[in-house]
Amino acid sequence: SQQGEEDPQALSIQEGENATMNCSYKTSINNLQWYRQNSGRGLVHLILIRSNEREKHSGRLRVTLDTSKKSSSLLITASRAADTASYFCAQVPTGANNLFFGTGTRLTVIP
Amino acid sequence: NAGVTQTPKFQVLKTGQSMTLQCAQDMNHEYMSWYRQDPGMGLRLIHYSVGAGITDQGEVPNGYNVSRSTTEDFPLRLLSAAPSQTSVYFCASSYRSRELGTEAFFGQGTRLTVV
């Protein structure tokens, strides 16, 4: 399986706190992406980081990538109740177009 | 702008029945794919297509067929449904770009139950 893994599987925080999710993967990559899924809905793309990038920001999101450790992290700052969702990392292996997803982190933000 | 449209949203099948899950996109994306999502397993790639007339297998292709006769449509066929195929199925599309990398757009999913 080319699936990565995410840690933690579930995370519960208070509104206003920061949330950090980690992702590990197995092969060399072209890029790594993070997606969000609200309960029962489709996935929505959040951010993409390429293999030659180490950090990327988008609004309250900060993504880091360490290709030597085959790992990435997603930081959501100043969390809101509306951030409650599952978050998935997905990798595009080198030379491929396919996205391979991790198992996801379930984030609950308590108002 | 519809994006990626999947039909039906819900389906119950009896073991052994066949059916087709429909997926259509209106963004002129070359790349389309099907995933299944099971609890604790994340999303697993079933089949994918890099353009009309071209399809290939993903991680878990057994029991499923696909075809890509047009850029817009990428149907997934269950040949003889089994309870192990009970899952939520997602279709996704994106531009095909190896060097730049692009985001995928997902449909809202089809929840399939095989009894």
Side-chain angles (χ1 to χ4, degrees):
Chain A
S1 169
Q2 298 199 44
Q3 276 194 315
E5 288 188 0
E6 290 167 65
D7 174 62
Q9 290 186 348
L11 179 62
S12 184
I13 60 174
Q14 296 288 329
E15 199 165 33
E17 293 181 337
N18 295 341
T20 299
M21 290 160 263
N22 302 297
C23 166
S24 61
Y25 57 91
K26 299 178 181 179
T27 66
S28 63
I29 60 171
N30 177 302
N31 66 76
L32 184 142
Q33 304 178 27
W34 285 89
Y35 288 79
R36 166 193 169 124
Q37 183 182 36
N38 286 81
S39 182
R41 305 297 296 273
L43 282 76
V44 176
H45 180 265
L46 295 175
I47 195 164
L48 180 154
I49 186 165
R50 298 192 174 90
S51 59
N52 60 353
E53 297 175 314
R54 292 296 168 257
E55 187 171 311
K56 204 162 183 181
H57 297 254
S58 177
R60 293 184 296 114
L61 306 180
R62 172 179 169 253
V63 169
T64 62
L65 179 64
D66 186 335
T67 54
S68 67
K69 295 181 179 178
K70 291 187 171 59
S71 67
S72 174
S73 67
L74 172 67
L75 169 68
I76 304 174
T77 60
S79 64
R80 305 165 181 168
D83 294 328
T84 293
S86 291
Y87 293 81
F88 294 87
C89 71
Q91 306 86 42
V92 177
T94 302
N97 270 301
N98 300 328
L99 269 173
F100 292 94
F101 282 83
T103 49
T105 293
R106 175 72 188 165
L107 173 66
T108 301
V109 181
I110 302 167
Chain B
N1 193 351
V4 180
T5 303
Q6 288 183 239
T7 56
K9 288 186 171 55
F10 301 94
Q11 183 70 49
V12 178
L13 286 179
K14 293 183 179 178
T15 297
Q17 285 185 318
S18 62
M19 80 159 294
T20 299
L21 279 63
Q22 302 291 345
C23 176
Q25 54 93 7
D26 61 0
M27 295 172 282
N28 202 31
H29 286 164
E30 303 96 329
Y31 182 85
M32 295 185 75
S33 54
W34 278 101
Y35 292 87
R36 60 178 289 173
Q37 184 176 29
D38 302 294
M41 298 291 291
L43 280 80
R44 292 181 292 170
L45 182 66
I46 305 172
H47 284 285
Y48 66 97
S49 169
V50 298
I54 306 169
T55 63
D56 208 343
Q57 297 181 348
E59 299 172 282
V60 288
N62 292 342
Y64 307 95
N65 270 357
V66 292
S67 60
R68 184 95 179 269
S69 56
T70 67
T71 300
E72 294 78 17
D73 300 299
F74 191 44
L76 178 72
R77 297 184 187 85
L78 279 70
L79 308 173
S80 177
S84 61
Q85 293 178 305
T86 294
S87 188
V88 182
Y89 291 85
F90 288 99
C91 178
S93 73
S94 65
Y95 289 110
R96 182 185 179 190
S97 173
R98 288 188 176 187
E99 291 75 27
L100 298 179
T102 60
E103 66 180 281
F105 293 81
F106 281 81
Q108 290 300 300
T110 295
R111 186 173 295 274
L112 175 68
T113 302
V114 183
V115 298

